[in-house]
Amino acid sequence: MNKKRQAIWDKSGGKCWYCGSDLPEKGWHADHFEPIQRNWWDGTCEHPELDTEDNKVPACASCNLNKHSMPLESWRKIIQGYVFSLNRDSTQYRLAKRYGLIQETDVKVTFWFEKHGCEEGKPFSEE
Ligand SMILES: [Zn+2]
């Protein structure tokens, strides 16, 4: 791992900034915490000033791809709505729920860095 990636990895000690899963040594993403909104047509971005090391956090591929270029609060609402859309759209989900395999809660989506008292984009330090 090069020095820049190592510094990003160290912000969480190898956890996904959002879901908290252990990151694999290969295949984790450096996410722009505040989205830079890259243009699909030519790879340029709407907010090049946010393309800094301070704004990059370690993320698992699923979180990074799912967050895409959404601001955090928009993404939180999307995740919060997944139970609703699963109930609406997935026969398998509804059936699994009916058989007691799934128990819904009304917990609020809380990201790993929020539970661990990290400030936005600031390195995580162990006590
Ligand atoms: Zn994740």
Side-chain angles (χ1 to χ4, degrees):
M1 207 181 308
N2 70 37
K3 272 190 177 174
K4 281 185 177 177
R5 280 193 53 92
Q6 184 70 53
I8 297 166
W9 169 279
D10 289 345
K11 289 182 181 185
S12 68
K15 304 275 187 197
C16 172
W17 197 248
Y18 303 105
C19 72
S21 65
D22 290 322
L23 295 174
E25 284 204 25
K26 286 181 180 172
W28 61 276
H29 293 192
D31 174 62
H32 290 93
F33 187 81
E34 300 288 349
I36 58 168
Q37 294 180 309
R38 204 176 288 284
N39 297 315
W40 57 267
W41 55 91
D42 63 359
T44 58
C45 50
E46 295 295 316
H47 298 286
E49 76 282 4
L50 294 173
D51 192 17
T52 63
E53 298 311 306
D54 279 352
N55 189 36
K56 288 180 187 170
V57 294
C60 71
S62 340
C63 282
N64 185 243
L65 295 172
N66 194 259
K67 181 173 174 264
H68 191 57
S69 59
M70 271 183 269
L72 194 69
E73 293 313 314
S74 310
W75 187 40
R76 191 193 311 268
K77 281 183 193 142
I78 300 274
I79 298 171
Q80 200 75 52
Y82 281 163
V83 174
F84 174 81
S85 43
L86 280 166
N87 276 306
R88 185 192 58 201
D89 303 334
S90 171
T91 307
Q92 291 171 328
Y93 179 84
R94 287 193 303 267
L95 199 63
K97 193 169 98 175
R98 204 171 300 148
Y99 280 88
L101 300 173
I102 290 167
Q103 242 179 344
E104 293 177 2
T105 68
D106 55 1
V107 295
K108 297 289 166 235
V109 172
T110 307
F111 296 109
W112 180 88
F113 74 91
E114 295 170 322
K115 293 178 195 162
H116 289 79
C118 301
E119 289 174 55
E120 296 175 5
K122 293 288 185 295
F124 170 63
S125 57
E126 307 254 5
E127 277 97 78

